[in-house]
Amino acid sequence: MAENKHFDLVKVGFAEQLKGGVIMDVTNAEQAKIAENAGAVSVMALERIPADIREDGGIARMSNPKMIKEIQKMVSIPVMAKCRIGHFAEAQVLQSLGVDFIDESEVLTPADEANHIWKHDFKVPFVCGCTDLGEALRRIAEGTALIRTKGEAGSGNIVEAVRHMRMVQSAIKKITTLGHDELVSYAKSNGSPLELVLYIKENGKLPVPNFAAGGIATPADASLMMQLGAETVFVGSGIFKSEDPEERAKAIVMATTHFDNPDIVSKASEGLGDAMKGLDIAKIPAEELLQTRGW
Amino acid sequence: MVVGVLGIQGGFSKHKEMIDSMGYDTKIIRTPDELKKTDALIIPGGESTTFLNLFDKLDLEDAIKEYSINSPIMGTCAGMIVLATKVDSINYSPLGLINIEVNRNAYGRQKESFVDKVNIELNNRLIKFEAVFIRAPKIVNYGSDCDVLAKYKDDNIMVQNNSVLVCSFHPELTGNNVIHKYFLEKFM
């Protein structure tokens, strides 16, 4: 651990405590309480869940501080909130509100089309999305304490989350098989900071925890992502867009804890109402994909 | 000897890494049956409400209480909260295996989390330890059957009784294994 200079004791140390859990999107204090009672390790406070952002269109921004405060008052678990990519002033506001984690998120409309926030400047830890290893390593270089694969938020379709997790895991495996003389070329062609490519070569894993997001709608989806290497799952629209949020939230918590025990995942999946309807990724116009936001 | 680390949620992987590196056989525990096959248990940090919620659903509450009659338990941060006898503002009953009263998130939110050097008394020797406090709880009261091993300013941050050792900080994060070593040697 001493050799991992990206292991900020307080920031990454906190991310470690969120492992094996479910982080749920909520839009008001009442939903936050349902999430906490169901066993969520944290809630993500946002004004509209991704499925509704997708439907409503328009510019999606940081949530209203008043709503974040109401959620903070309602629950004792950590409260996360999203800022726009590159919008460091929104991040400053969220830090001032005492949000426990800031998600610099592709779900909101980007504020900067070239740069992400320099996250080392903040006391509050950040989580950032990625679709491949190069993107994950660029975010870690900027100071994120936690990575999540992006998936396709608000789609209710797990296929992109699986693709991104497999991309990251197979790139990690590949680096461990390369010779040192091949690493500079690898770093160049994948837009990855060399120092972090070297870390992966030596350790066979990312220097910060890796969670999964974007499309998880059922207990089995959560189990799938955990078995593919996610250490916790974010569930956005999947809970409060379903027929029975309370029961579904509990079931996804149980399936995440026991992701490797199909008997328990099966029992958790029983008797749930309809999951969110979901979207075929191929039918989403390219300009409406959220996962392509981030540089 | 097999050391169990409760892995239903939380910071279990860093505890496991540390105990593995000390040469013990370590198992991640998620069910009562898995617990029975261990000789000592560590309950890591994480979310105490999530832990207590899952204890109930996984029949772990009675299993851990029964386990503690003959086997030692260490709890860190949220692990300390769930082992206490009394906890502020929470809908669940804690396990009550060490006679302490605890306030959750007593130092504030994540932006108030911090690292500082503390003195810990282990086997009558004072040891400097880099303690990581993350949304940490406070021990606000303790019973006469408890010994205080460390303080930070006016707060008691590490307490033991005959079979349970708890601390409000994260000894698994800094790479210094003296607290794990003390627990596994002294309590076994």
Side-chain angles (χ1 to χ4, degrees):
Chain A
M1 266 164 288
E3 76 278 7
N4 179 358
K5 71 185 181 91
H6 295 274
F7 196 95
D8 180 297
L9 286 171
V10 168
K11 291 178 178 175
V12 185
F14 179 35
E16 288 284 333
Q17 310 312 317
L18 300 171
K19 284 185 175 177
V22 183
I23 299 162
M24 302 182 190
D25 278 3
V26 299
T27 58
N28 58 47
E30 189 196 354
Q31 288 183 353
K33 198 70 201 171
I34 291 172
E36 184 176 60
N37 288 341
V41 292
S42 175
V43 289
M44 176 75 70
L46 73 175
E47 253 156 31
R48 291 179 292 169
I49 53 175
D52 290 335
I53 292 176
R54 197 177 274 293
E55 205 172 297
D56 301 351
I59 303 298
R61 309 180 178 91
M62 174 188 80
S63 295
N64 188 328
K66 184 168 171 269
M67 171 270 227
I68 293 171
K69 280 185 185 165
E70 283 166 8
I71 290 174
Q72 286 173 323
K73 220 177 279 167
M74 180 62 91
V75 296
S76 66
I77 56 176
V79 176
M80 304 188 178
K82 291 179 192 291
C83 72
R84 284 178 267 179
I85 290 172
H87 205 315
F88 53 85
E90 283 187 348
Q92 288 161 353
V93 170
L94 294 175
Q95 174 162 280
S96 145
L97 285 168
V99 158
D100 295 292
F101 238 102
I102 299 173
D103 184 3
E104 186 183 17
S105 177
E106 72 282 0
V107 168
L108 305 183
T109 311
D112 188 324
E113 294 191 327
N115 308 293
H116 283 250
I117 296 171
W118 183 249
K119 293 165 271 286
H120 293 289
D121 286 346
F122 288 78
K123 187 135 200 283
V124 169
F126 277 73
V127 50
C128 287
C130 74
T131 55
D132 59 28
L133 184 65
E135 195 175 7
L137 298 184
R138 292 193 293 279
R139 298 296 85 80
I140 293 168
E142 293 157 358
T144 197
L146 171 62
I147 285 292
R148 58 172 174 78
T149 45
K150 284 179 188 168
E152 185 59 29
S155 71
N157 188 337
I158 200 69
V159 67
E160 296 303 297
V162 169
R163 185 198 319 280
H164 300 155
M165 186 57 75
R166 285 208 183 270
M167 292 277 280
V168 169
Q169 302 292 2
S170 72
I172 289 172
K173 275 184 219 148
K174 180 171 179 199
I175 288 174
T176 62
T177 67
L178 295 176
H180 282 93
D181 55 351
E182 296 172 291
L183 296 179
V184 173
S185 167
Y186 180 92
K188 183 186 173 197
S189 54
N190 291 278
S192 309
L194 176 63
E195 172 238 339
L196 286 163
V197 174
L198 275 165
Y199 178 86
I200 289 175
K201 164 79 183 157
E202 280 157 27
N203 296 278
K205 59 177 187 183
L206 291 172
V208 303
N210 183 16
F211 296 177
I216 295 159
T218 69
D221 285 348
S223 163
L224 175 67
M225 294 316 299
M226 294 292 284
Q227 291 188 61
L228 287 174
E231 296 173 298
T232 267
V233 295
F234 284 84
V235 185
S237 318
I239 289 172
F240 290 99
K241 272 285 166 190
S242 74
E243 205 175 73
D244 48 0
E246 212 167 332
E247 291 309 308
R248 185 162 295 267
K250 286 182 198 162
I252 293 178
V253 169
M254 188 56 77
T256 303
T257 290
H258 285 291
F259 66 93
D260 57 355
N261 185 333
D263 294 339
I264 296 181
V265 177
S266 159
K267 209 172 146 218
S269 310
E270 255 174 54
L272 294 178
D274 288 341
M276 71 180 283
K277 189 148 178 283
L279 298 167
D280 182 348
I281 304 295
K283 291 187 180 136
I284 304 175
E287 67 275 14
E288 288 177 21
L289 284 175
L290 302 175
Q291 60 183 272
T292 54
R293 297 166 166 179
W295 352 105
Chain B
M1 190 175 89
V2 182
V3 181
V5 180
L6 195 71
I8 55 174
Q9 192 275 312
F12 51 86
S13 52
K14 288 287 170 195
H15 277 289
K16 183 172 190 303
E17 259 176 42
M18 182 163 272
I19 299 163
D20 282 342
S21 77
M22 294 163 69
Y24 292 96
D25 186 5
T26 318
K27 292 269 183 299
I28 298 289
I29 302 305
R30 298 190 172 104
T31 65
D33 282 345
E34 291 167 344
L35 179 62
K36 283 186 193 134
K37 294 172 195 148
T38 68
D39 304 296
L41 177 69
I42 294 178
I43 306 183
E47 275 312 310
S48 52
T49 52
T50 306
F51 287 2
L52 290 166
N53 181 313
L54 287 169
F55 282 177
D56 188 34
K57 291 176 190 158
L58 301 171
D59 302 322
L60 277 166
E61 188 180 335
D62 290 341
I64 295 172
K65 284 182 181 168
E66 200 187 307
Y67 179 86
S68 78
I69 297 169
N70 293 311
S71 309
I73 305 180
M74 174 162 97
T76 62
C77 196
M80 176 180 94
I81 297 172
V82 302
L83 288 165
T85 39
K86 199 171 167 202
V87 179
D88 71 320
S89 59
I90 191 163
N91 291 336
Y92 304 91
S93 307
L95 297 168
L97 297 176
I98 183 163
N99 192 3
I100 54 171
E101 185 182 341
V102 173
N103 286 355
R104 299 158 70 221
N105 304 333
Y107 295 88
R109 298 185 181 279
Q110 174 61 14
K111 69 174 174 179
E112 275 86 45
S113 293
F114 63 98
V115 183
D116 211 342
K117 289 263 190 323
V118 299
N119 288 313
I120 298 175
E121 194 184 328
L122 300 178
N123 300 316
N124 302 316
R125 280 184 52 221
L126 268 190
I127 293 171
K128 274 240 183 295
F129 195 87
E130 189 178 26
V132 186
F133 294 86
I134 298 175
R135 288 169 45 92
K138 270 188 194 178
I139 301 166
V140 292
N141 227 328
Y142 62 94
S144 55
D145 57 338
C146 296
D147 300 320
V148 175
L149 301 180
K151 286 173 91 99
Y152 178 70
K153 295 178 181 167
D154 291 334
D155 303 326
N156 300 306
I157 56 170
M158 188 167 172
V159 169
Q160 65 180 16
N161 66 17
N162 285 335
S163 60
V164 177
L165 173 68
V166 294
C167 58
S168 58
F169 53 94
H170 288 271
E172 78 282 11
L173 293 176
T174 52
N176 181 349
N177 64 20
V178 291
I179 292 175
H180 289 75
K181 195 160 178 277
Y182 172 78
F183 170 65
L184 293 173
E185 287 171 5
K186 180 99 175 176
F187 284 71
M188 290 308 293

